[in-house]
Amino acid sequence: MRAEIGVIGGSGFYSFLDNVTELQVDTPYGAPSDSLFVGELAGRRVAFLPRHGRGHHLPPHRINYRANLWALRSVGVRQVLGPCAVGGLRPEFGPGTLLVPDQLVDRTKTRTQTYFDGVPLPDGSIPNVVHVSLADPYCPVGRGAALKAARGREWEPVDGGTLVVIEGPRFSTRAESVWHAAQGWSVVGMTGHPEAVLARELELCYTSLTLVTDLDAGAESGEGVSHEEVLQVFAANVDRLRAVLFDAVAGLPAESERDCSCAGALGGMEPGIRLP
Ligand SMILES: [Zn+2]
């Protein structure tokens, strides 16, 4: 049971695949958020992974990001799309905005963000110290496919911008939000990190698609963000986002034509462990 493309997102997505098989995968880092749902979409083999688990029981800080990316790679995935809900940090990035970021700022606090921490794997191998480049955290080819897919669905996306990832699960204070905006950052979320860096360490292409569900506390003048607001905007846009994701999947290159630098991210560095 193999797949070439992975999608880490809401559980509303995998029910639309053809011939779906539920696949339980274990990893040296423990269990991923849920089973992988592997099926066919536009002639491509796709593995969906519900980021928060079925029923959304895992908060952002308790997601086993290492297990999630490892599990995807272990079934053959080499390109990953990671849609997520975010808050807009500028008034022009209001609810319903689709922004495909090209930069990332990590403001998380407790998350393990590397496979190369010197801790032996169950097979006895020991990862070396490896420093990957994350200067450009997202795959340029995947970003292009996502932008093209959005435009094809008449959803003018914001091309580029900075996603700042906070620890959560609480939303930002007004002061934090004003500060994030003052840095020139675009949107704020809770799950975009460490997905991008772990994908890079596994030489996977990773593309983030952010859907703005609310204006963050410092960018609006009302009562601040509520969970209900976020869910409402997400529900109103979920069909559209799914269509964009499906088109983006279809627009990704075949593995034999993958020529971005993501595939050589470890270039020359000796990881000390065998990537799955
Ligand atoms: Zn790439």
Side-chain angles (χ1 to χ4, degrees), residues 216-234:
D216 210 50
E220 53 81 67
S221 50
E223 293 299 305
V225 183
S226 79
H227 190 55
E228 287 68 37
E229 265 181 291
V230 170
L231 293 180
Q232 274 169 18
V233 176
F234 200 80

Side-chain angles (χ1 to χ4, degrees), residues 139-140 205 258 260 262:
C139 175
C205 296
R258 186 170 159 239
C260 48
C262 315

Side-chain angles (χ1 to χ4, degrees), residues 71-146:
L72 287 171
R73 182 169 167 116
S74 73
V75 300
V77 165
R78 294 295 180 269
Q79 301 176 84
V80 177
L81 300 176
C84 61
V86 295
L89 290 170
R90 294 187 212 168
E92 65 267 34
F93 299 155
T97 301
L98 182 69
L99 184 146
V100 182
D102 61 354
Q103 278 301 320
L104 173 70
V105 171
D106 169 24
R107 294 272 304 144
T108 65
K109 295 174 167 65
T110 65
R111 307 177 188 187
T112 308
Q113 52 178 287
T114 183
Y115 293 100
F116 303 113
D117 55 3
V119 177
L121 268 52
D123 66 4
S125 61
I126 300 174
N128 288 326
V129 175
V130 165
H131 304 283
V132 293
S133 168
L134 203 67
D136 296 299
Y138 302 114
C139 175
V141 177
R143 290 190 69 253

Side-chain angles (χ1 to χ4, degrees), residues 18-272:
D18 295 327
N19 305 315
V20 188
T21 304
E22 182 174 344
L23 196 62
Q24 284 187 0
V25 181
D26 199 17
T27 81
Y29 306 94
S33 294
D34 205 325
S35 303
L36 301 182
F37 294 85
V38 181
E40 229 164 82
L41 186 68
R44 313 297 296 271
R45 300 287 304 166
V46 181
F48 279 78
L49 175 57
R51 185 186 277 123
H52 298 273
R54 261 171 292 189
H56 209 96
H57 64 280
L58 287 171
H61 63 287
R62 288 197 48 231
I63 293 170
N64 190 340
Y65 295 95
R66 289 201 297 183
N68 285 355
L69 274 304
W70 191 275
L72 287 171
R73 182 169 167 116
S74 73
V75 300
V77 165
R78 294 295 180 269
Q79 301 176 84
V80 177
L81 300 176
C84 61
V86 295
L89 290 170
R90 294 187 212 168
E92 65 267 34
F93 299 155
T97 301
L98 182 69
L99 184 146
V100 182
D102 61 354
Q103 278 301 320
L104 173 70
V105 171
D106 169 24
R107 294 272 304 144
T108 65
K109 295 174 167 65
T110 65
R111 307 177 188 187
T112 308
Q113 52 178 287
T114 183
Y115 293 100
F116 303 113
D117 55 3
V119 177
L121 268 52
D123 66 4
S125 61
I126 300 174
N128 288 326
V129 175
V130 165
H131 304 283
V132 293
S133 168
L134 203 67
D136 296 299
Y138 302 114
C139 175
V141 177
R143 290 190 69 253
L147 291 165
K148 188 175 172 202
R151 290 176 186 128
R153 294 283 173 172
E154 287 164 9
W155 195 354
E156 190 47 50
V158 179
D159 178 359
T162 299
L163 165 65
V164 52
V165 183
I166 59 172
E167 181 67 15
R170 67 170 179 85
F171 292 115
S172 302
T173 66
R174 227 175 275 282
E176 287 166 340
S177 185
V178 166
W179 177 63
H180 291 161
Q183 302 313 302
W185 303 335
S186 315
V187 290
V188 54
M190 298 178 191
T191 57
H193 182 82
E195 274 178 16
V197 59
L198 292 172
R200 184 62 55 82
E201 285 192 345
L202 294 182
E203 300 191 321
L204 305 172
C205 296
Y206 181 87
T207 304
S208 172
L209 294 89
T210 71
L211 171 65
V212 177
T213 53
D214 57 271
L215 278 177
D216 210 50
E220 53 81 67
S221 50
E223 293 299 305
V225 183
S226 79
H227 190 55
E228 287 68 37
E229 265 181 291
V230 170
L231 293 180
Q232 274 169 18
V233 176
F234 200 80
N237 286 282
V238 73
D239 290 344
R240 212 174 170 201
L241 183 60
R242 185 166 49 226
V244 168
L245 272 172
F246 286 3
D247 292 350
V249 163
L252 290 174
E255 179 55 24
S256 59
E257 287 159 16
R258 186 170 159 239
D259 61 357
C260 48
S261 59
C262 315
L266 295 178
M269 292 182 278
E270 179 45 61

